[in-house]
Amino acid sequence: MNVSKANSVAVRLDKVRFTYGDAAMRFDVECRAGAVTAVMGPSGSGKSTLLNLVAGFETPAAGRVLIGGEDVTGLPPAARPVSMVFQENNLFAHLDVRKNVGLGRSPSLRLDEADDMAIAEALWRTGLSGKEHRLPRELSGGERQRVALARVLVRNRPVLLLDEPFGSLGPALRSDMLELLLGLQAERRMTTLFVTHQPEDARRVADEVVFLEQGVVVAAGATDSFFADGAPEAFRRYIGSDFTKFARKPT
Ligand code: ADP
Ligand code: MG
């Protein structure tokens, strides 16, 4: 099951152009193979659009999307080597936990014994053993996001797109989820794009940061360089007066 680092793939948006009404976006950026890249920026700056372009939910007007060097621009979402987790509504309300996770193995839910073993292992890894037969409405918000992560595990795709996945959870739960994510990441080395508004979360899990403003990447680099003297000016402005707090080395 282990995907070694050697199998990790880079994600690249090559001169991608995309427009919603009068919001013109232009993405030219590469996310390193096997690394976690925090995608940050003000609301409306294009973070979700960037992820949707990688997932294939949106198609560029110009330019290419490359995954592991392969041009996937013309491929539908299902044909891309990608899993995505949103802030909410990741689950089908009428399917129990086992089936919601099982969708990551088989969209028709024809699950054989090997699938069931993979599902059981993923549920164990995400702390959901015993909850196989619950419906989403019988779970807490944190548990629902764990189910979404369990589905990511059984799908076993090399690219993981997370669009504010823990944004609606309280601080303690968010911290638990980040811990879980770090554990899964250490094992799978998925190339992960992680949209977050929380500087402390980016610091904790991301190797690199991509910072957007008005549909353009205005800064990109190692996370450490974003939380140190000489951090990109646009990022400092975004964080505001709290910058020194986040920039302080953890003790
Ligand atoms: P973010 O995720 O950073 O908040 P988005 O990618 O959602 O930003 O949005 C980028 C820009 O595209 C914004 O100006 C937003 O208003 C616009 N936009 C996003 N989704 C749509 C849509 N479905 N229809 C029209 N405009 C949209
Ligand atoms: Mg968004």
Side-chain angles (χ1 to χ4, degrees):
M1 273 282 261
N2 255 9
V3 177
S4 77
K5 209 166 182 173
N7 294 329
S8 297
V9 294
V11 171
R12 181 163 163 228
L13 290 92
D14 176 29
K15 301 189 185 70
V16 165
R17 286 174 185 277
F18 184 82
T19 307
Y20 273 131
D22 47 46
M25 293 172 250
R26 197 177 70 224
F27 299 122
D28 206 11
V29 67
E30 175 157 317
C31 299
R32 190 155 55 82
V36 177
T37 299
V39 179
M40 302 189 74
S43 183
S45 59
K47 305 178 297 295
S48 294
T49 305
L50 191 155
L51 264 61
N52 287 334
L53 286 160
V54 175
F57 298 126
E58 300 292 359
T59 307
R64 301 181 305 162
V65 176
L66 300 150
I67 298 180
E70 196 186 324
D71 188 344
V72 300
T73 317
L75 295 183
R80 299 191 185 198
V82 166
S83 302
M84 190 154 172
V85 178
F86 304 91
Q87 184 163 346
E88 43 202 21
N89 298 323
N90 291 290
L91 309 182
F92 288 94
H94 63 291
L95 298 179
D96 68 11
V97 166
R98 172 180 165 272
K99 285 184 176 160
N100 265 293
V101 175
L103 285 172
R105 295 284 280 204
S106 158
S108 64
L109 283 176
R110 249 169 258 133
L111 302 170
D112 62 20
E113 215 170 301
D115 294 328
D116 265 326
M117 278 173 63
I119 293 165
E121 191 197 333
L123 290 177
W124 180 77
R125 291 294 315 277
T126 51
L128 290 165
S129 297
K131 302 197 165 137
E132 308 40 28
H133 300 300
R134 296 237 193 134
L135 290 171
R137 65 165 178 271
E138 299 167 330
L139 300 170
S140 69
E143 286 170 336
R144 282 198 287 272
Q145 293 307 69
R146 286 172 184 271
V147 175
L149 286 178
R151 183 197 289 156
V152 166
L153 282 176
V154 302
R155 250 171 93 77
N156 207 19
R157 304 277 167 106
V159 175
L160 176 57
L161 307 174
L162 302 168
D163 195 353
E164 303 188 53
F166 315 135
S168 59
L169 307 177
L173 205 47
R174 220 176 71 226
S175 179
D176 289 351
M177 296 299 284
L178 288 176
E179 205 51 50
L180 174 60
L181 178 64
L182 280 170
L184 302 180
Q185 182 58 16
E187 180 190 314
R188 296 289 176 93
R189 292 287 161 200
M190 292 172 281
T191 305
T192 302
L193 276 64
F194 176 42
V195 176
T196 177
H197 282 287
Q198 310 291 340
E200 66 270 34
D201 292 3
R203 257 209 103 167
R204 183 148 155 214
V205 303
D207 304 292
E208 305 194 343
V209 177
V210 164
F211 185 73
L212 306 182
E213 268 180 352
Q214 294 178 33
V216 179
V217 176
V218 293
T223 304
D224 287 345
S225 73
F226 272 72
F227 292 95
D229 292 339
E233 189 49 42
F235 183 71
R236 291 186 81 120
R237 251 188 287 118
Y238 169 72
I239 304 288
S241 54
D242 278 347
F243 183 81
T244 32
K245 182 175 100 194
F246 293 120
R248 218 167 30 215
K249 286 261 176 287
T251 48

